[in-house]
Amino acid sequence: MKSIVDNGRVEEEVIMKYGFLRNIILSATAVACAGIFVGFSGERALAADDGVILNNIYIGNVDVSGMTVEQASRAVEDYIDELSEGTTVLVGDIGELEVKNTDFGLSWNNEDIAKEAADYGKSGNLLSRYKQIKDAENNSVRLHLGVDIDKSVTAEIFSENEASLETLPVESTLKRENGEFVVVEGHDGVNINVEESVEAIEEFFDAGWTQENNEITLVCDTVSPEVTTEELEKVQDLLGSYSTNFGSSSASRAKNVSNGASKINGSVIMPGEQFSVYNAVSPFTEENGYELAGTYVNGQVEESFGGGICQVSSTLYNAVLYSELQVDERSNHSMIVTYVSPSRDAAIAGTYKDFKFTNDTEAPVYIEGFTSGGVIYFNIYGQEYRDSSHSVEYESETLTTTECEEYFTVDSSLKFGTISRTESGHTGYTACLWKVTYENGVEVSREKINSSTYKMTPSKYSVGISCDSHDARKALKEAIATGNRATIEAAISEWASEAAGDEDDDEDEDDDDDSSSKKKNKDSSEDSSSDTSETTETTETTETTETTETTDTTQTTEAAADGTVQ
């Protein structure tokens, strides 16, 4: 029984002991909390929220201590407006550009930060509020001021000021001096990386900037030349050449041929690149060095600027053929020319008749073009890719011929018996060009590479009937109506004496009527009775030989400014 009692007394003692300790702990906690409360009692943060921001609080660089939310917002807006009136210097690799900050389209993107500033030290649990208040007492508290820029407007700054911030790469160039190639080395260029530079500008403003810190380093990319020295040094071998004669041309036409050759001379065509003769030699204007000379327009020969340029393109066409480069576009003339064989020509007519070819080799090609002694030359250089046993030749084949017709017209103003050519004709042809390939001098293939059609145009003549003899005039007019040159010449011979005399003073009531006819050279005996009237103003004496006249008038170009070329 004692043991039980003893045990009960022990338990009671234990209970009393631990109850006492609990009271001590609770009392200590209460005292501690009271001390903290007393420490907070001087802090406004633990008092009722009065809507005023604690001291030492900043939004970006704006001190908003003691302000309300509205006051803080106005202060930030005033700060941004003030800074927007300043300038920022954009620094690139090659230069600088000073830009008004207003040009960036600045705007405040986190206006709720003013409310956050007002809540600082006044929200959250007791310990977090205490910590914020102590932080504000000991150090400045800076809240982030978010600033955006208008990215599209900012990007336009670069496009409008490329010259100040960028430089284009300088391509290596190739020139030929004293029979040798000289490579002029280029250098890198600098481009602004617009996307990354716009991001850098936005980060700069968003991170908090001042008027003292107003430089932004732009992101630049190095741009290498497309044409390198190493590539150009591959050009050493003559791939193909050709020349044609323009010695009988007029001074104006000769100048056009020389001018066109000079505009192509020195051209470098990289692998895979296409070359257009029209782009290289146009526009056909006096300002671009061209003079008036004969051109083919609607089947006629007329004067226009650039006459003769087709001889330039045709000569180059043949040099390209011998170089075995890829021909992309080539057109024959509407009428035959004499400086190359049929189907070896390449006409130029505005943009719809052009000669284009592509460098389909693995190295650049260089075009050398010049004139000397009435001859135009083109040499094409590159890196020889063909075996030394390989060679090519080109053969022109005339398939059909349409002889030139003759038209005769009565001209009452010319002396009786005078035959004056007013327009030169051209024989019509169809033709093709064959590429013949040889290996070790033995023909291994024959390929048709083009076909051409040249239309026939008639020669036109005025025949004079002016005399005092009614019978002579009537007889010659009847002969002209046959369109037969032999008949006309026989009538002139038969009536020449009477036409020169004064026997007949009568007036022919038909003197003012003109009749015309035509004939074909291949059928001089065929008669016709056409009475259509046609008068012409241009005359050319019959003393001009057929060969000379044909050479002069067929060395013409298809180009015409009004686009009516055939």
Side-chain angles (χ1 to χ4, degrees), residues 233-247:
E233 287 176 345
K234 296 178 181 179
V235 180
Q236 296 293 333
D237 306 314
L238 178 63
L239 303 181
S241 62
Y242 203 74
S243 63
T244 60
N245 191 295
F246 62 95

Side-chain angles (χ1 to χ4, degrees), residues 374-542:
V375 178
I376 177 172
Y377 300 86
F378 275 112
N379 300 315
I380 299 179
Y381 294 90
Q383 186 177 54
E384 184 58 77
Y385 58 95
R386 299 164 295 188
D387 191 88
S388 59
S389 63
H390 176 90
S391 63
V392 294
E393 191 49 74
Y394 294 88
E395 295 181 2
S396 169
E397 180 183 4
T398 298
L399 303 175
T400 65
T401 301
T402 304
E403 296 296 341
C404 178
E405 299 176 353
E406 291 183 326
Y407 286 81
F408 297 92
T409 303
V410 171
D411 192 332
S412 300
S413 65
L414 290 179
K415 182 181 178 181
F416 183 91
T418 301
I419 301 178
S420 177
R421 179 160 45 202
T422 59
E423 197 170 300
S424 298
H426 297 82
T427 301
Y429 298 94
T430 60
C432 65
L433 190 65
W434 295 90
K435 176 182 179 180
V436 185
T437 303
Y438 298 89
E439 301 294 346
N440 294 313
V442 178
E443 180 179 331
V444 294
S445 67
R446 181 176 290 260
E447 174 190 4
K448 183 193 294 186
I449 63 170
N450 75 42
S451 297
S452 305
T453 299
Y454 307 92
K455 70 179 182 180
M456 182 279 296
T457 59
S459 294
K460 296 181 180 180
Y461 299 87
S462 291
V463 181
I465 64 169
S466 179
C467 68
D468 292 332
S469 171
H470 166 77
D471 292 339
R473 290 195 301 271
K474 182 178 180 181
L476 185 51
K477 287 175 67 177
E478 291 175 351
I480 294 171
T482 68
N484 187 302
R485 175 181 285 273
T487 302
I488 295 170
E489 291 176 347
I492 292 173
S493 176
E494 179 181 352
W495 293 92
S497 298
E498 183 169 337
D502 298 326
E503 293 86 351
D504 192 347
D505 294 329
D506 293 339
E507 293 295 332
D508 185 357
E509 65 275 12
D510 297 324
D511 277 352
D512 291 330
D513 296 334
D514 293 330
S515 61
S516 65
S517 62
K518 68 178 181 179
K519 84 167 190 66
K520 296 183 179 179
N521 288 335
K522 62 182 181 179
D523 187 9
S524 60
S525 62
E526 180 180 352
D527 293 336
S528 66
S529 58
S530 174
D531 291 326
T532 59
S533 298
E534 182 174 343
T535 60
T536 58
E537 297 178 358
T538 305
T539 61
E540 182 176 329
T541 60
T542 54

Side-chain angles (χ1 to χ4, degrees), residues 17 144 216 452 458 550:
K17 180 178 180 180
H144 178 66
I216 304 175
S452 305
T550 301

Side-chain angles (χ1 to χ4, degrees), residues 246-257 291-294 303 307 552 555:
F246 62 95
S248 61
S249 296
S250 66
S252 296
R253 186 179 185 281
K255 181 179 179 180
N256 291 342
V257 172
E291 295 187 0
L292 291 170
E303 295 283 300
D552 286 344
Q555 290 183 345

Side-chain angles (χ1 to χ4, degrees), residues 4 231 258 366 520-521:
I4 296 175
E231 282 292 301
S258 296
Y366 176 92
K520 296 183 179 179
N521 288 335

